[in-house]
Amino acid sequence: MVFPTVLDASGGVPLRVQVREGLLAAIGDGRLPPESQLPTMRELAAHLSIDLNTVQRAYAELERLGAIETRRGRGSFVSSAPPLPDPDVRRAQTEACAAAAIAMARAQGLMPEDVARTMLEFLQGNQ
């Protein structure tokens, strides 16, 4: 089963957010390519030993973001291509993503500047 990290129940980041971010990371780095099927919500909840409602909320957020789509009777799949938002929405989403990364870094005792520098290094290495 593809899931990038072990969840930290004692940290300041809600489990739902950890699940959402973990799946977004797997989608972003290609471990979950477009059109690939995600585990069922029940399977993922059992695999992670967390409540089904937590996974359901994470999947719902991913669907609202356009990262995944649910096909009735077939399951949840990585979207073939996320919709491109208009420039204002794109800017707001970029700012929200940056704010979430900063908050997550601080909650884990990391320096946001180090995280930003590492992100740039990853981007330069992947081009």
Side-chain angles (χ1 to χ4, degrees), residues 53 88 96 100:
N53 289 325
D88 291 336

Side-chain angles (χ1 to χ4, degrees), residues 105-121:
R106 286 184 176 148
Q108 296 177 21
L110 304 172
M111 297 296 297
E113 297 84 359
D114 293 338
V115 172
R117 192 171 16 270
T118 303
M119 288 174 133
L120 287 173
E121 290 170 4

Side-chain angles (χ1 to χ4, degrees), residues 47-93:
H47 174 73
L48 297 172
S49 300
I50 60 175
D51 187 71
L52 175 60
N53 289 325
T54 301
V55 176
Q56 287 172 330
R57 287 193 303 268
Y59 273 43
E61 289 176 12
L62 288 167
E63 193 159 13
R64 277 193 299 275
L65 290 172
I68 68 170
E69 54 190 50
T70 301
R71 299 176 189 159
R72 190 165 183 81
R74 296 194 54 223
S76 297
F77 296 81
V78 176
S79 296
S80 56
L84 294 176
D86 68 57
D88 291 336
V89 171
R90 186 180 185 94
R91 175 70 182 174
Q93 289 176 330

